[in-house]
Structure formats: C-alpha cells, structure tokens
C-alpha cells in the first residue's frame, strides 16, 4: 500500500522560502510520475511540479523559476523548494504520485494522480 506523508509547511512573509518534503512508502513502481498539487482558498487545484522516474521535470508557469522539485531515490523522498513566495502561493500542498510515467507533466492536471498524501498547509502573508 502506497503511503505519502508531507512535512515542512508553515507561515512565511512574502519573499520568504519554505521546503516541503514527502516521505514515501510502499511505492514499488519502477516507472512513475510524482509531483505536488496545491489547493487554494477557492478550492481550485493546481499541479505545480512533476518529476518522473528518469528525472524529467515540468513546472506550472505560476511557479517556474521560483520552485524546484527534487527526488532522492535512496531515501524514497520527494522535495519541493519554494523561494520568493507570494500570497497567491497560499494553500494546501499535496504530494502525489501515479502507477506509471505515461506523459508525466503538470499539464496532465491534478486528476492524473493515483496517490495523494494528507497535505501540508503553506501560508504566505503580505
């Protein structure tokens, strides 16, 4: 059974940084796509970053140049470094993953993912 557990959320001021981490267990798929999806106050969901088993990465235009996704296969973890944070980055951030890597990209949208963590809250104040 796949389990994803996020950590690292919190409150920062505009321009600050946070690093989110996702610990995974039970993830036995050799080819996969993992990423981060956020849900804002209006309940809209947005896939912000995705990375596949081979290290190919895509970002949403809203975070490109500010966020960096990375994975550590040795520790089975996924990170999201968030810099130059803005109030519009506020939301619940979910670690997500799939059973395959077919066309892994943020453009696939939030519904593409099979597995979801419980989420970690990020709040950016102006």
């Amino acid at each position: 059974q796949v389990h994803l557990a996020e950590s690292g959320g919190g409150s920062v001021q505009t321009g600050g940084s946070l690093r989110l981490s996702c610990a995974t267990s039970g993830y036995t798929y050799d080819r996969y796509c993992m990423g981060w999806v956020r849900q804002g106050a209006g309940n809209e969901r947005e896939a912000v970053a995705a990375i596949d088993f081979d290290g190919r990465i895509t970002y949403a235009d809203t975070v490109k140049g500010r966020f960096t996704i990375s994975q550590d296969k040795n520790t089975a973890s996924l990170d999201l470094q968030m810099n130059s944070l803005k109030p519009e980055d506020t939301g619940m951030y979910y670690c997500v993953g799939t059973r395959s890597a077919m066309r892994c990209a943020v453009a696939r949208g939030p519904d593409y993912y099979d597995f979801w963590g419980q989420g970690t809250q990020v709040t950016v104040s102006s």
Side-chain angles (χ1 to χ4, degrees), residues 4 6 20-22 24 27 32-38 46-53 56-59 69-71 77-80 93-98 100 104-106 109-110 112-117:
L4 307 176
E6 305 93 338
L20 307 183
S21 294
C22 175
T24 75
Y27 218 106
Y32 57 82
C33 179
M34 294 197 71
W36 294 89
V37 170
R38 67 185 180 188
E46 178 187 22
V48 298
I51 185 169
D52 73 5
F53 66 98
R56 287 177 285 259
I57 293 172
T58 58
Y59 295 102
I69 189 172
S70 61
Q71 63 179 335
S77 62
L78 184 75
D79 288 352
L80 185 69
Y93 282 69
Y94 298 92
C95 176
V96 294
T98 66
S100 74
C104 176
V106 292
Y112 170 65
Y113 296 97
D114 303 306
F115 309 113
W116 290 67

Side-chain angles (χ1 to χ4, degrees), residues 20-123:
L20 307 183
S21 294
C22 175
T24 75
S25 62
Y27 218 106
T28 60
Y29 305 97
D30 292 332
R31 294 176 178 269
Y32 57 82
C33 179
M34 294 197 71
W36 294 89
V37 170
R38 67 185 180 188
Q39 184 165 6
N43 283 331
E44 74 284 1
R45 296 186 304 172
E46 178 187 22
V48 298
I51 185 169
D52 73 5
F53 66 98
D54 217 18
R56 287 177 285 259
I57 293 172
T58 58
Y59 295 102
D61 288 343
T62 51
V63 306
K64 199 172 294 182
R66 300 187 298 120
F67 289 13
T68 303
I69 189 172
S70 61
Q71 63 179 335
D72 187 332
K73 294 185 178 182
N74 292 325
T75 60
S77 62
L78 184 75
D79 288 352
L80 185 69
Q81 177 66 42
M82 306 186 296
N83 298 328
S84 302
L85 283 162
K86 305 175 182 180
E88 51 264 43
D89 294 318
T90 293
M92 187 69 77
Y93 282 69
Y94 298 92
C95 176
V96 294
T98 66
R99 295 182 178 89
S100 74
M102 187 177 294
R103 292 187 288 171
C104 176
V106 292
R108 298 299 301 271
D111 291 340
Y112 170 65
Y113 296 97
D114 303 306
F115 309 113
W116 290 67
Q118 291 300 306
T120 185
Q121 178 69 34
V122 171
T123 302

